Amino acid sequence: MDIDEWVEYILKDPRASKAFKVLGVTASAVALYKLAGYVLRELVLVPKLTILRDVEDLHKPRKGGKIPGRVIICGGSIGGMLAAAVCADHFDSVLIVESEAWANEHGSEIPEKREYRTTSDGYQAVVPLRTRIMQYYVLNFLQPPVHMALNRLFPNLSEQLEHFGLGPTLAVMRLKFRYGGIYTEDPYTDMNVKEGVPLTFNISREATETLIRRSLKHSRPNVTFKTGTVTGFIRDGDCLGGVTVRTEATDTEERGDLVIDATGPTQLGFSKALNAAGFPVSPDLRVEYDPDMKYTTGVWTVPEHVRAKWPAPGGYELGVILNMTPDAGAGESKAFYLVGMERNQMLITTGGWNGPQTAHSMAEVRAFVQSLDGQEHLPYWAWTLFDLLEEHEEECTPFYADAKVGPLNWIRWQMAKDLPKNFVAIGDAIMKLNPVYGQGITKTCIDITTLDAVLRRIPSKLPLPNVGKLFFDREAPRVEGLWGGTRANDYGWPNTIPTEGEDLNHNAFMRTWGRDVIFLGREDPNIHATWWSVNMMVAPATDLFSPKIVVKMMRKKWLGW
């Protein structure tokens, strides 16, 4: 029987015909299911929960011309400057009011020298130029959306990077993740590839802020800076008409058509300015918890001859060199990070929850790492590296910065009633996250990209529509996962003081599910890539609950394989 006769025979069999019909219906159902999942993710979840669509529009010419108005931005740190870059593309003029004169006058260049002091405990610390910025000289952990946003906001970004000698710091995003000391490889590992992969800058807060300030000044001539402190808001009907500013000389008023609170943890709008201007703000908008954690970061300058002896595979590289991530499920509350950054600097961070003794010397770093759960899984070269650093510790001139993480909060502006139509808050003025997770600047990029998307959808005329409501409603679902995820993790430690009305078991499922996904990822690179993408904010958090992951999770729990 040849193939044609065999097919004809099968088709004449009624049982085969019925089976083919069932198979066809099943295939159609599977296809429709996959199509529905694709549509849900790509057309609903990604646009709603991430900035991956909106970020592509940053700095594109505005349809209908600029809005004939002025924006007042309260605060000139990273959030304020990025908001200014966005608003300058939509309005005639933007004014940044920044309280630290040094930032406005000298903050566009990285100083060659630093001033140091010896602490009462006998270790060296740096005298900060930015007195209001915690750990100004340590590395910023910048997830890929930061590069996406900056690369579009500032077309001359590569030139500015070269100006500061920061070109080599732009590289593929790598975590070199170790959980319980066990290493899981990143989805992207080739440091030489810089196209079509998620990128990051391996640079300090100092370099990040300076890079943005110089890029802003060189690309947005309609942005001006004023040294002073915003002390209040001026009401104008159901809107804000401007702000009051205290300078060294006098108190002045600055009029504006849009007022943006970028005052960081001060949270000026919530704490006093809106209430004083006649816009009552309910204290219930702010939810708060206290992780009661601390950490210490040592910044080392590594000479060339020390880098030449680097024992790690591939030699000395920028970015994460070694890390040990805490694991609440195993009861390990301490964390350790060793990262290379610009100007041959390297940071070593030790700390965690439950009051650990942090390190201020290489000998203390070694003892700290030896106390960690899973340290036996560290590669041999880690201990050789510690020997090398201890041998050359004096010439590496490390200085240390201690940080105590106090109460964290989220002001749920989207729930507020009767806010001024032209009031917006960004960055820490909305949500103060635990800095140990390194999400603050990425969260700010989510905010300013969301603001850009809102401004693109309003007409180019005054008065403005209710920009505040449009912004807060669009921004909230994009940052809610950051708050929920980090809070759930912080609730894994017994000394954390939870939000009023909650206990430490609140959202424990999120913490447990995330931990289980990490373990599955050790066996399945695709699952690890999903976990990685969600944590790097290049995928919606809902991807962690995809049918494939759920099925594998249930199979693992119920069948053990």
Side-chain angles (χ1 to χ4, degrees):
M1 181 182 294
D2 61 26
I3 186 66
D4 291 336
E5 293 174 330
W6 182 83
V7 169
E8 183 178 0
Y9 173 79
I10 291 294
L11 291 177
K12 287 181 179 180
D13 188 330
R15 291 173 299 176
S17 179
K18 184 177 181 179
F20 277 123
K21 288 180 181 179
V22 172
L23 184 61
V25 170
T26 302
S28 299
V30 170
L32 286 173
Y33 172 78
K34 289 185 176 181
L35 177 61
Y38 175 84
V39 170
L40 175 63
R41 184 184 188 277
E42 298 299 320
L43 301 185
V44 178
L45 297 176
V46 169
K48 182 176 182 178
L49 303 179
T50 77
I51 60 168
L52 299 178
R53 300 290 184 266
D54 287 346
V55 75
E56 297 174 359
D57 291 331
L58 285 175
H59 200 48
K60 286 184 178 178
R62 177 184 173 84
K63 294 180 181 179
K66 291 187 177 182
I67 300 169
R70 187 187 195 210
V71 180
I72 307 294
I73 298 180
C74 312
S77 192
I78 287 177
M81 291 188 291
L82 291 179
V86 165
C87 290
D89 292 341
H90 294 277
F91 289 83
D92 282 344
S93 66
V94 179
L95 173 67
I96 297 176
V97 183
E98 164 57 39
S99 59
E100 294 196 57
W102 181 89
N104 290 339
E105 297 168 4
H106 307 289
S108 297
E109 296 293 341
I110 300 176
E112 288 296 323
K113 295 182 178 180
R114 294 169 177 160
E115 183 181 347
Y116 300 94
R117 64 181 179 86
T118 301
T119 70
S120 59
D121 293 324
Y123 59 86
Q124 187 168 246
V126 71
V127 178
L129 293 171
R130 293 281 275 142
T131 57
R132 301 186 180 206
I133 305 297
M134 185 175 74
Q135 297 209 324
Y136 181 62
Y137 296 104
V138 307
L139 182 93
N140 274 141
F141 190 73
L142 305 175
Q143 288 88 353
V146 176
H147 174 261
M148 295 177 189
L150 297 189
N151 197 43
R152 288 168 173 81
L153 278 176
F154 306 116
N156 64 342
L157 183 64
S158 59
E159 297 173 17
Q160 300 300 337
L161 285 169
E162 292 304 324
H163 170 81
F164 292 112
L166 298 176
T169 70
L170 179 64
V172 65
M173 183 78 238
R174 297 186 303 173
L175 285 180
K176 295 190 176 178
F177 184 69
R178 289 184 182 276
Y179 199 62
I182 298 176
Y183 175 72
T184 306
E185 189 167 88
D186 291 285
Y188 308 93
T189 57
D190 191 340
M191 291 286 284
N192 296 315
V193 177
K194 296 188 179 182
E195 296 289 340
V197 296
L199 298 175
T200 187
F201 305 98
N202 297 294
I203 57 179
S204 63
R205 168 64 186 243
E206 176 190 31
T208 304
E209 187 171 306
T210 307
L211 173 67
I212 292 172
R213 186 175 290 108
R214 180 180 170 87
S215 299
L216 176 65
K217 290 185 174 181
H218 280 243
S219 63
R220 306 299 199 284
N222 58 335
V223 174
T224 56
F225 293 76
K226 180 172 184 171
T227 300
T229 301
V230 175
T231 56
F233 295 163
I234 302 169
R235 181 165 186 160
D236 184 4
D238 59 355
C239 297
L240 296 178
V243 301
T244 55
V245 181
R246 179 173 297 147
T247 67
E248 286 188 356
T250 184
D251 289 351
T252 61
E253 291 186 358
E254 293 290 349
R255 310 299 293 189
D257 302 288
L258 177 64
V259 175
I260 297 179
D261 184 355
T263 57
T266 301
Q267 299 176 333
L268 177 68
F270 178 84
S271 62
K272 65 177 183 178
L274 285 173
N275 280 307
F279 294 96
V281 177
S282 170
D284 294 336
L285 292 181
R286 183 162 68 182
V287 290
E288 183 175 281
Y289 76 96
D290 187 351
D292 190 25
M293 70 161 298
K294 65 178 183 178
Y295 58 97
T296 293
T297 299
V299 179
W300 297 48
T301 300
V302 186
E304 183 178 358
H305 68 94
V306 177
R307 300 196 305 275
K309 301 176 184 177
W310 212 254
Y316 181 84
E317 291 181 335
L318 293 174
V320 178
I321 297 169
L322 191 66
N323 79 77
M324 293 280 282
T325 301
D327 177 8
E332 178 53 80
S333 61
K334 300 188 294 296
F336 162 73
Y337 305 98
L338 196 154
V339 187
M341 55 186 187
E342 84 274 2
R343 299 166 73 182
N344 301 323
Q345 296 178 107
M346 175 193 71
L347 69 81
I348 301 177
T349 297
T350 57
W353 296 256
N354 299 336
Q357 184 67 42
T358 58
H360 297 88
S361 69
M362 199 60 227
E364 292 179 358
V365 168
R366 181 194 300 276
F368 184 93
V369 175
Q370 288 174 335
S371 74
L372 297 176
D373 178 69
Q375 57 87 22
E376 67 276 9
H377 298 300
L378 286 176
Y380 72 91
W381 59 260
W383 308 105
T384 306
L385 176 59
F386 295 161
D387 292 339
L388 176 68
L389 292 175
E390 190 166 13
E391 177 186 353
H392 296 279
E393 185 166 1
E394 184 174 348
E395 62 182 305
C396 289
T397 61
F399 64 88
Y400 296 88
D402 298 324
K404 173 72 170 68
V405 180
L408 309 172
N409 58 64
W410 178 22
I411 302 173
R412 298 166 296 175
W413 290 109
Q414 76 278 9
M415 298 170 59
K417 299 183 183 300
D418 302 320
L419 287 176
K421 294 181 179 179
N422 60 340
F423 168 77
V424 166
I426 62 165
D428 284 359
I430 298 177
M431 181 185 293
K432 184 181 177 184
L433 293 164
N434 191 334
V436 77
Y437 301 117
Q439 299 168 323
I441 295 178
T442 307
K443 190 264 178 189
T444 295
C445 287
I446 292 173
D447 292 348
I448 61 99
T449 303
T450 302
L451 178 61
D452 180 80
V454 167
L455 294 176
R456 289 186 181 280
R457 287 162 172 79
I458 65 173
S460 298
K461 63 181 182 180
L462 297 175
L464 298 175
N466 198 334
V467 173
K469 179 172 175 51
L470 293 171
F471 169 77
F472 291 126
D473 286 350
R474 192 180 184 94
E475 188 259 5
R478 293 177 170 182
V479 300
E480 185 174 8
L482 293 177
W483 176 258
T486 55
R487 181 183 52 162
N489 196 62
D490 287 340
Y491 277 18
W493 318 112
N495 63 318
T496 296
I497 303 171
T499 297
E500 184 177 353
E502 297 180 354
D503 59 31
L504 295 182
N505 291 318
H506 185 83
N507 277 353
F509 167 77
M510 292 178 61
R511 181 171 62 253
T512 303
W513 186 267
R515 186 173 188 263
D516 290 343
V517 170
I518 289 172
F519 289 150
L520 277 181
R522 291 174 177 172
E523 305 169 3
D524 187 331
N526 291 327
I527 290 180
H528 179 67
T530 299
W531 175 89
W532 188 97
S533 296
V534 168
N535 279 270
M536 294 302 99
M537 302 185 214
V538 292
T542 48
D543 280 7
L544 292 178
F545 300 92
S546 69
K548 287 183 179 180
I549 292 181
V550 171
V551 168
K552 289 187 177 182
M553 187 75 76
M554 296 304 99
R555 187 182 69 189
K556 186 74 173 179
K557 286 183 175 294
W558 295 339
L559 302 178
W561 57 276

